[in-house]
Each structure stands twice: as C-alpha cells, then as structure tokens.
Amino acid sequence: MRITRIRTKNFRCLSDVDLELRPFTVVIGPNGAGKSSLLEAIRVLGSVHQGSGAISDTFARYGGFRATVSYFASDPKMLLGITLGQPNSQVKYDVAFMGEGAGYFVAWEKFLSPRFGLERDDTNGAYMGSQSPNTQFQIAHGPRLAFE
C-alpha cells in the first residue's frame, strides 16, 4: 500500500501539517523547515506496531518525549497520522501522545479501514509500560468512526 497522506501536530518543528502525498512527491525547503521531521514522523509511526519500547527508543533519539514535541506547542500533546491506499480503499491510523519530561503515554489511537474501525482511548493517562484498567476500546464498522 502506498502512503497517501501524513498528519502531524506538534512533532518537532512541525506545528500542524496535513500533507497529501501523490505518487511522486518532492519536499523542498530551507534548513530547519521540517523536511527531515516529516520523514521522522513516518519512522515514529512505523515503530508504533513494535510496542512501547520501540517508541521510547525513537523518542530517546531526540532527547526524550518533551524534546520531540514541537517547541511551538503550548501543551505536551503530539498527534501523528497516516493514510494508506487508494480513495475507495483507504486505511487510516492516528495516534496522540501526551506526557511531560521523559515520560509519555498514548492518549488515544484510531484505526479505520473500509470494513473495520477501532478506537482506543486511555481515560486515566497511564504511562507506557503500565497496565491501565480504564483503557477503553470501541469497535465500529465502516465509516462511522470519524477522524479528527
């Protein structure tokens, strides 16, 4: 599947980006504009399926979670999202991280495919590595699950 869209909010120097990717996309800009940060956002999203250890390692490369959150951000919340596939068969995944200092947790995540959707909301903000009895899962079928 081809990446067709990437979304970031408060990731490194990217304060709010929603970029549609065509079959051939070129990203051009001066130093510090966010070209590498855009690629790093894809790297972080790729580490999500490997578990909290891989995500922690990725954040550690940047100096910890708080150093990874955009310096433009007023609160320590970060959103990363990706869309794969063609317009009639898209798969979407969004995840929001929150935290302070070196600690972080997954505030919520959403997955939507043409036939299935899953939404996870951590209602008590348990930090990664701990089990949260208040984590809620909701399953939706089809496009009823909306993305922000």
Side-chain angles (χ1 to χ4, degrees):
M1 288 186 138
R2 182 175 73 78
I3 299 173
T4 57
R5 183 173 295 276
I6 184 147
R7 295 171 294 285
T8 69
K9 187 167 185 171
N10 297 333
F11 179 75
R12 298 179 43 89
C13 69
L14 304 173
S15 58
D16 194 0
V17 173
D18 187 349
L19 179 65
E20 180 182 355
L21 301 174
R22 309 257 178 175
F24 183 77
T25 301
V26 178
V27 180
I28 300 172
N31 291 343
K35 302 177 300 289
S36 296
S37 293
L38 193 62
L39 296 174
E40 293 297 328
I42 295 170
R43 175 188 278 197
V44 173
L45 283 164
S47 69
V48 167
H49 79 280
Q50 297 171 358
S52 62
I55 299 168
S56 295
D57 290 347
T58 302
F59 289 151
R61 261 191 292 259
Y62 308 121
F65 175 77
R66 190 61 182 120
T68 308
V69 175
S70 173
Y71 41 81
F72 300 115
S74 58
D75 65 344
K77 184 175 184 180
M78 176 193 317
L79 167 72
L80 297 173
I82 195 164
T83 303
L84 306 166
Q86 303 303 319
N88 59 348
S89 62
Q90 290 184 340
V91 174
K92 296 180 183 180
Y93 177 74
D94 287 309
V95 60
F97 299 98
M98 291 188 74
E100 55 186 55
Y104 73 94
F105 63 94
V106 174
W108 55 261
E109 59 185 331
K110 299 175 184 179
F111 172 81
L112 180 65
S113 72
R115 296 178 188 224
F116 178 80
L118 179 66
E119 181 175 353
R120 174 186 170 270
D121 182 18
D122 191 333
T123 59
N124 81 347
Y127 280 78
M128 294 307 292
S130 65
Q131 294 290 346
S132 170
N134 294 329
T135 299
Q136 298 177 351
F137 290 91
Q138 297 175 346
I139 298 176
H141 298 280
R144 287 182 284 167
L145 182 61
F147 283 81
E148 298 176 349

